[in-house]
Amino acid sequence: MKFSTKLIHSGQTHDPLTGALGVPIYQTSTYRQQSLDQFGKYDYARSDNPTREALEEAVAALEGGNRGFAFSSGMAAISSTLLIFSPGDHLVVCDDVYGGAYRVLTQIFSRLGIHSTFVDATSLEAIEAAIKPETRGIYLETPSNPLLKVTDLRGVAELARDRGIVTLVDNTFMTPYLQRPLELGCDIVLHSATKFINGHSDVICGLAVVKDSELGERIRFIQNGFGAIPGPQDCFLTLRGLKTLKVRMDQSQKSAAAIVDWLGSQQRVTRIHYPGLADHPGYAIQRSQTDGAGAVFSFELDSLETTRRLLEQSRLSAFAVSLGGVESIISYPARMSHAAVPPEERRRKGITDTLVRLSVGLEDPDDLIAEMDSIFKSNPV
Ligand SMILES: *Cc1c(COP(=O)(O)O)cnc(C)c1O
C-alpha cells in the first residue's frame, strides 16, 4: 500500500460490533473475564486498550516497523524508551537535542548512572570519536531543533550496527511521511505525536516504533511496567489527526518553502536554517534520506528589537511553544524549547537571542507573509 492509503487503513479495521468506520473510544479500565484458567486478550487497560492498539498499529505500519507503542507524551515515550539502558551505559546524543530530552538526560538519567556525551551530529567523525567501550545508544534528531542540522542516518546506523549500539531517532519534525529511520537502518523511532502526527494542537501524546522483536519486547515491558500510557480519548484524537497527515504536510511544506523564499529577500533576516535550501550544509543528505524538508524552519533577525516585535505582534502565527499544528506557531527557542539549556551552552550551540522558529500551519502563505511584512515595515530599522 502507498503511504496515503496506509494513513487511512492501517490499524483501522472496522469495529466488529457495529461496523463503525472510526475506531471507537474504549473508555474502560478493565475487562470482564470468562474463565479462571485463561484470561482474554484484554485484562487491564494499562496493558492493552483497543483504541490505543489501533494507533500503535497505525504508526508501526507507517514507520515500516513491526511494533508501535503509545505513551502519554513525547517525553514519556522518550523517557520510557531510554529505560532500556542500565547504569554504566553511555549515550552519544546530538548537541541540539530537544530541550526536554536534554533535561532528562542531564538531570535524571545521569543520576541513574546513564551518562551522555553531546556531539555535533552533522559529523560522523564526531559521533565515532565520542563512542566509548560502554556506549550502548546513539540518540538523534534530524533535522534538529531549532537549527535544522541534518544527520546522516544511514552513516550512523552503519557505525552503530557493528558495535551493537542502538540508534534512536526522534522523528517528530519529519513524521513517517517524509522520513522513515527504520528503513535507513536505525533501531527505534520516537515521536512527540503532540506535533504533526496529531496535528491539531489539542492532544499531548508520544509514540515509539521498532522493527526488532526483542527490542519490541523490552519496550513493551517498560510501557506496561512504567505505565506512562495515553488514555483512549487521546489515542482516538491522535488517530483522527493522523489520517490527514499527508495532505497537511504537503500544504504546510509548500507554504514553508514560499515563506523561506520571501524571508530570503528581507533585510531584517540575517540567516535562515532550512534543509530545503540548496546552500544548507545538510541539503544533499536531507534529499538522500527524506522525501522533503518539512514545515519547520528557523531564522535569525537583525536585532533583539525586531525579534521582540515579530513575536509579540504576530497574530496569524501564534507566539507559543510547540509546532506541527494546523495553526502556524512562532516560537523563541532561547526562552522556550531550549530554556533548560544553560545560556553559555545555548550560545555555543548557535541558539542565539535573535533566533525565531516558525512552524507553518495551513493558513494561506500570502497572509502569513503579508503579516510579517507589515511587522517588519512598521518598525524603524
Ligand atoms: C515537543 C517535542 C518533544 C516532547 O514531546 P511532548 O509531547 O511535549 O512531551 C520531543 N521531541 C521533539 C522534537 C519535540 O518537538
Side-chain angles (χ1 to χ4, degrees):
M1 278 194 283
K2 295 266 172 60
F3 193 84
S4 43
T5 312
K6 281 191 199 168
L7 273 178
I8 307 301
H9 293 287
S10 293
Q12 320 238 4
T13 43
H14 304 160
D15 175 40
L17 186 64
T18 64
L21 292 194
V23 176
I25 302 170
Y26 283 89
Q27 192 76 45
T28 187
S29 60
T30 189
Y31 309 85
R32 185 186 295 276
Q33 303 304 320
Q34 310 292 341
S35 148
L36 180 70
D37 306 314
Q38 201 179 4
F39 290 173
K41 174 175 179 198
Y42 301 101
D43 69 349
Y44 187 57
R46 170 161 34 75
S47 309
D48 292 289
N49 177 289
T51 318
R52 192 177 91 212
E53 231 167 56
L55 173 62
E56 293 176 331
E57 277 176 34
V59 74
L62 295 170
E63 286 286 1
N66 289 322
R67 240 168 136 178
F69 302 95
F71 294 90
S72 53
S73 68
M75 280 316 305
I78 292 167
S79 304
S80 298
T81 302
L82 286 171
L83 291 171
I84 63 170
F85 299 109
S86 301
D89 289 355
H90 171 255
L91 308 176
V92 177
V93 182
C94 64
D95 66 1
D96 53 354
V97 66
Y98 177 72
Y102 181 85
R103 183 166 47 198
V104 296
L105 286 167
T106 57
Q107 297 188 44
I108 298 176
F109 285 94
S110 59
R111 203 154 45 66
L112 304 178
I114 299 162
H115 294 282
S116 305
T117 302
F118 296 88
V119 300
D120 176 0
T122 59
S123 157
L124 286 179
E125 292 73 38
I127 293 174
E128 189 165 16
I131 294 175
K132 305 180 189 188
E134 62 272 27
T135 302
R136 295 286 175 271
I138 301 178
Y139 185 101
L140 304 166
E141 272 173 52
T142 178
S144 68
N145 176 26
L147 294 172
L148 288 296
K149 296 198 296 189
V150 176
T151 298
D152 174 359
L153 291 180
R154 286 189 191 90
V156 175
E158 207 166 298
L159 271 184
R161 199 175 307 119
D162 301 339
R163 297 171 168 89
I165 296 173
V166 174
T167 42
L168 305 94
V169 181
D170 180 334
N171 204 27
T172 301
F173 271 42
M174 288 282 95
T175 81
Y177 175 45
L178 297 178
Q179 174 171 273
R180 289 166 302 281
L182 300 177
E183 292 177 0
L184 302 169
C186 299
D187 300 303
I188 301 177
V189 174
L190 298 162
H191 279 286
S192 170
T194 309
K195 316 295 167 54
F196 288 104
I197 288 197
N198 174 61
H200 293 72
S201 311
D202 51 12
V203 166
I204 298 280
C205 187
L207 298 164
V209 184
V210 296
K211 207 169 194 166
D212 180 74
S213 58
E214 191 265 334
L215 208 44
E217 283 307 315
R218 283 159 73 194
I219 296 174
R220 161 71 193 180
F221 185 80
I222 296 165
Q223 182 198 36
N224 184 44
F226 219 61
I229 48 117
Q233 169 106 20
D234 284 350
C235 293
F236 170 85
L237 285 169
T238 304
L239 258 179
R240 189 173 72 164
L242 179 62
K243 291 182 201 194
T244 55
L245 175 67
K246 178 181 182 294
V247 288
R248 285 186 285 109
M249 244 350 200
D250 282 341
Q251 183 57 48
S252 288
Q253 184 171 244
K254 209 169 113 196
S255 300
I259 297 167
V260 162
D261 194 43
W262 178 78
L263 286 171
S265 69
Q266 295 302 299
Q267 245 190 331
R268 292 188 187 272
V269 178
T270 56
R271 196 161 170 201
I272 304 175
H273 305 273
Y274 185 57
L277 288 171
D279 63 357
H280 185 285
Y283 178 74
I285 296 170
Q286 180 73 12
R287 286 201 62 153
S288 79
Q289 68 188 14
T290 68
D291 296 318
V296 180
F297 60 87
S298 61
F299 54 103
E300 284 164 50
L301 291 158
D302 59 352
S303 69
L304 209 50
E305 190 50 29
T306 308
T307 310
R308 175 181 292 279
R309 285 178 174 168
L310 181 64
L311 293 168
E312 291 180 353
Q313 293 176 15
S314 289
R315 289 294 167 266
L316 295 177
S317 299
F319 175 33
V321 297
S322 200
L323 58 102
V326 293
E327 311 83 357
S328 291
I329 295 177
I330 191 162
S331 62
Y332 188 51
R335 296 233 187 112
M336 290 176 154
S337 57
H338 289 67
V341 181
E344 334 70 75
E345 182 70 9
R346 210 159 55 215
R347 278 182 211 114
R348 195 186 58 72
K349 288 174 176 171
I351 303 166
T352 67
D353 291 342
T354 63
L355 182 78
V356 167
R357 188 186 75 196
L358 185 65
S359 167
V360 181
L362 297 182
E363 302 89 349
D364 194 302
D366 291 347
D367 290 331
L368 295 169
I369 289 170
E371 180 173 85
M372 282 194 273
D373 192 40
S374 89
I375 295 170
F376 286 166
K377 285 198 176 120
S378 70
N379 297 299
V381 178

